[in-house]
């Protein structure tokens, strides 16, 4: 394994950092007027700067970075995507990159028919179309196979009441959807929705993915999208309600293995999300180091105190370890869940310390420390929690086998080996 960054990866990092220098700490989404305005005021109703998004797409090809060249993408791999997400994480950039390029596009590539790929992927790669993955119950981390088992569909209603249900519309091969999905990332602005739904009825139901286009002159009948108040104003969330809404099955027929595709997407998404969280943690730490170097107490810079130096040193080790884990996972996506847990934990601890070392100013809407703290909290709510990420990774790796039975051959009554 060559751990060094390539010249191309360094160029992606340099170009993005320069381009995002004026868009740091979520400036496109947040305002200094307080939480009420910050939750609603943005460069566009979608919560991101469309002009900047066009530049990212046209000049860097960012939305299609990991898509095959035959669909207008860059043909790059998880490492390049991780580099890009690390830089957008440093700036807390509000953009549809995560929802479109990391979650939706890989599923279309994996499951879509040739016609669906040709119709959708070039537009996604060019940044002309954005997409969002809608899963019922606010269970994104489970739906991606990061914190639980997908089989059985319990995470999405299990075919019983709740979740989203799908039924054939008739002889035209279409489908109708009914149900609700909460906490859909970029769900209020995406031009394409990928919706996980059950079909077949209990107990023979199976989970499939369906396409709903929302970029037409009129919204689809029966579709209601409601922007929700989000803890992190740079992460727009929406509730998607479907009332007999027309949809198209993603894939050739209902035999496609949507759960396997979700699991594979979850592994690569964990790599990108870990890099993004590591980038946010690194930026929060850098801002804190700068702040304590300037702030004085008793005639000396706060950063000169030994206790503060030790706290900062501990944070530095956590952030660097999280970053290393993220890029190792880019080489071995099977470790993506553990890398994501490491990065989310580093982000949570770093931002909490940043608020403390800023003197609590992070809670007064007067400093960017609050934005990083909110990102840490919302990421763990959306993608964690950390202990479940680690527990699921340990279970998949077989680290915790069944305990020996009491009184089993060769064991004593307490399960100890007999001698």
């Amino acid at each position: 394994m060559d751990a060094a960054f390539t010249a191309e990866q360094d160029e992606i990092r340099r170009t993005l950092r320069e381009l995002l220098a004026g868009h740091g700490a979520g400036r496109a989404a947040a305002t200094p007027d307080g939480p009420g305005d910050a939750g609603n005021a943005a460069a566009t109703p979608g919560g991101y700067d469309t002009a900047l998004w066009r530049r990212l797409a046209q000049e860097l090809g960012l939305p299609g970075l990991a898509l095959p060249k035959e669909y207008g993408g860059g043909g790059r791999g998880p490492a390049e995507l991780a580099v890009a997400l690390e830089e957008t994480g440093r700036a807390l950039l509000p953009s549809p990159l995560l929802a479109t390029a990391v979650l939706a596009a890989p599923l279309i590539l994996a499951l879509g028919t040739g016609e669906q790929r040709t119709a959708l992927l070039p537009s996604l790669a060019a940044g002309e179309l954005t997409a969002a993955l809608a899963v019922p119950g606010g269970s994104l981390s489970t739906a991606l196979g990061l914190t639980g088992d997908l089989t059985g569909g319990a995470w999405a209603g299990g075919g019983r009441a709740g979740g989203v249900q799908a039924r054939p519309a008739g002889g035209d091969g279409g489908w109708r959807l009914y149900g609700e999905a909460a906490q859909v990332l970029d769900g209020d602005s995406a031009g394409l929705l990928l919706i996980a739904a059950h079909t077949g009825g209990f107990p023979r139901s199976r989970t499939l993915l369906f396409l709903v286009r929302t970029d037409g002159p009129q919204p689809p009948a029966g579709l209601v999208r409601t922007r929700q108040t989000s803890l992190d104003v740079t992460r727009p969330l929406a509730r998607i309600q479907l009332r007999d809404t027309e949809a198209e099955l993603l894939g050739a027929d209902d035999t496609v293995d949507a759960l396997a595709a979700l699991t594979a997407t979850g592994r690569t998404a964990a790599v990108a999300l870990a890099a993004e969280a590591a980038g946010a943690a690194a930026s929060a730490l850098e801002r804190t180091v700068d702040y304590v170097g300037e702030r004085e107490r008793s005639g000396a810079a706060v950063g000169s105190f030994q206790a503060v130096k030790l706290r900062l040193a501990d944070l530095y080790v956590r952030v660097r370890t999280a970053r290393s884990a993220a890029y190792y996972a880019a080489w071995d996506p099977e470790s993506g869940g553990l890398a994501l847990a490491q990065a989310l934990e580093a982000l949570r601890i770093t931002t909490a310390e940043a608020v403390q070392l800023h003197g609590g100013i992070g809670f007064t809407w007067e400093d960017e420390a609050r934005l990083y703290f909110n990102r840490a909290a919302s990421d763990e709510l959306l993608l964690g929690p950390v202990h479940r990420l680690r527990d699921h990774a340990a279970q998949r790796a077989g680290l915790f086998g069944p305990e020996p039975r009491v009184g089993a051959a060769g064991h004593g009554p307490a399960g100890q080996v007999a001698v």
Side-chain angles (χ1 to χ4, degrees):
M1 173 185 175
D2 185 358
F5 290 107
T6 65
E8 183 181 33
Q9 291 164 352
D10 286 335
E11 182 64 17
I12 292 173
R13 184 187 310 282
R14 183 193 63 79
T15 306
L16 260 178
R17 189 167 299 190
E18 291 178 356
L19 186 59
L20 300 180
H23 298 268
R27 288 192 183 95
T31 70
D33 298 323
D37 289 337
N40 298 312
T44 70
Y48 62 94
D49 187 335
T50 54
L52 176 61
W53 175 247
R54 284 194 296 270
R55 289 192 64 187
L56 293 174
Q58 295 170 4
E59 298 179 17
L60 299 178
L62 210 57
L65 192 64
L67 287 175
K69 293 183 178 180
E70 63 183 292
Y71 298 114
R76 305 298 183 261
E80 286 76 19
L81 195 59
V83 169
L85 267 292
E86 183 185 3
E87 291 306 311
T88 60
R90 288 178 60 89
L92 295 187
L93 179 70
S95 83
L97 180 64
L98 175 59
T100 299
V102 177
L103 299 178
L107 290 170
I108 297 173
L109 181 63
L111 296 177
T113 63
E115 182 180 353
Q116 288 171 336
R117 293 177 186 176
T118 302
L120 298 174
L121 291 180
S123 297
L124 292 174
E128 300 167 354
L129 177 66
T130 61
L133 174 62
V135 298
S139 52
L140 180 61
S141 60
T142 304
L144 294 174
L146 297 175
T147 58
D149 185 10
L150 276 70
T151 58
W155 56 275
R160 301 173 183 266
V164 179
Q165 308 299 321
R167 61 178 178 82
D172 60 356
W175 294 78
R176 315 293 291 190
L177 303 182
Y178 189 93
E180 178 179 304
Q183 298 182 356
V184 179
L185 185 62
D186 289 329
D188 64 318
S189 62
L192 173 68
L193 297 176
L194 273 70
I195 301 173
H198 282 284
T199 182
F202 183 79
R204 298 177 58 189
S205 69
R206 55 186 288 115
T207 302
L208 299 171
L209 290 173
F210 296 86
L211 303 171
V212 176
R213 294 292 295 259
T214 63
D215 57 344
Q218 295 294 332
L223 174 66
V224 179
R225 301 195 286 179
T226 307
R227 179 81 171 266
Q228 295 180 304
T229 300
S230 176
L231 177 63
D232 179 3
V233 296
T234 70
R235 288 267 203 243
L237 299 174
R239 175 183 292 109
I240 306 296
Q241 294 173 303
L242 304 146
R243 300 164 183 170
D244 203 31
T245 303
E246 185 177 359
E248 176 186 352
L249 176 67
L250 179 60
D253 52 49
D254 59 4
T255 63
V256 297
D257 195 346
L259 299 186
L262 283 166
T263 301
T265 298
R267 286 195 292 267
T268 55
V271 176
L273 292 165
E276 184 191 61
S283 183
L285 177 58
E286 290 169 8
R287 294 166 188 268
T288 304
V289 170
D290 291 342
Y291 179 80
V292 299
E294 297 173 356
R295 182 184 178 193
E296 292 188 0
R297 178 181 296 172
S298 302
V302 172
S304 65
F305 298 153
Q306 185 68 17
V308 175
K309 290 181 179 179
L310 292 174
R311 291 169 71 175
L312 293 174
D314 178 67
L315 296 179
Y316 177 81
V317 172
R318 287 183 180 275
V319 171
R320 297 297 295 185
T321 301
R323 186 171 185 264
S324 297
Y327 283 106
Y328 176 82
W331 176 72
D332 178 21
E334 287 292 332
S335 63
L338 286 176
L340 179 57
Q342 185 86 4
L344 291 180
E345 184 176 64
L347 180 59
R348 168 166 45 84
I349 293 174
T350 301
T351 54
E353 286 282 5
V355 169
Q356 291 296 316
L357 292 171
H358 276 75
I361 199 171
F363 288 104
T364 66
W365 299 93
E366 297 175 9
D367 194 271
E368 292 174 345
R370 66 175 172 91
L371 293 174
Y372 287 93
F373 182 84
N374 289 353
R375 167 61 67 88
S378 65
D379 268 9
E380 192 158 359
L381 288 172
L382 186 66
L383 305 164
V386 166
H387 71 273
R388 288 187 60 195
L389 286 166
R390 286 180 171 146
D391 176 73
H392 186 62
Q395 295 293 343
R396 290 182 63 248
L399 297 182
F400 305 117
E403 295 184 2
R405 291 180 292 108
V406 175
H411 294 77
Q416 299 178 345
V417 177
V419 294

